[in-house]
């Protein structure tokens, strides 16, 4: 752990040295201030296709017509097409 050279990064109280703390972005340059990462600035309703279209008939356990992931894959592809306008 000595290879991390903590004595160069932290003071005697274990706090990050002020000159290093100054390097962190401020204001709108912070990662949490980015509208794509914020989770609240760019919100809009998700347009979802009718998931019933992708239902798989399962008359009894283990007797499906196709694997469940195939229907989910098609549904997710359709969701993506609705959101972006293309596949």
């Amino acid at each position: 752990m000595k290879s991390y050279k903590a004595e160069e990064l932290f003071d005697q109280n274990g706090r990050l040295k002020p000159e290093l703390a100054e390097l962190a972005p401020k204001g709108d340059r912070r990662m949490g201030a980015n509208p794509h990462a914020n989770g609240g600035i760019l919100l809009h309703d998700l347009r979802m296709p009718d998931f019933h279209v992708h239902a798989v008939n399962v008359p009894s356990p283990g007797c499906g017509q196709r694997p469940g992931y195939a229907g989910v894959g098609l549904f997710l592809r359709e969701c993506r097409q609705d959101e972006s306008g293309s596949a």
Side-chain angles (χ1 to χ4, degrees), residues 24-35 37:
K26 294 173 181 41
D28 291 343
R29 303 296 296 167
R30 294 175 298 116
M31 210 180 334
N34 180 323

Side-chain angles (χ1 to χ4, degrees), residues 46-51 75 79 82-83:
L46 177 63
R47 295 180 307 234
M48 290 184 35
D50 181 11
F51 62 90
F75 174 71
C79 287
D82 285 353
E83 278 298 301

Side-chain angles (χ1 to χ4, degrees), residues 35 37-43:
N38 179 279
I41 296 173
L42 297 179
L43 286 181

Side-chain angles (χ1 to χ4, degrees), residues 3 11 13-14 21 23 27 32 34 44 47 49 54-55 77 81 84:
S3 66
D11 66 16
N13 297 320
L23 296 174
N34 180 323
H44 61 279
R47 295 180 307 234
H54 301 284
R77 181 182 68 182
Q81 287 173 336
S84 68

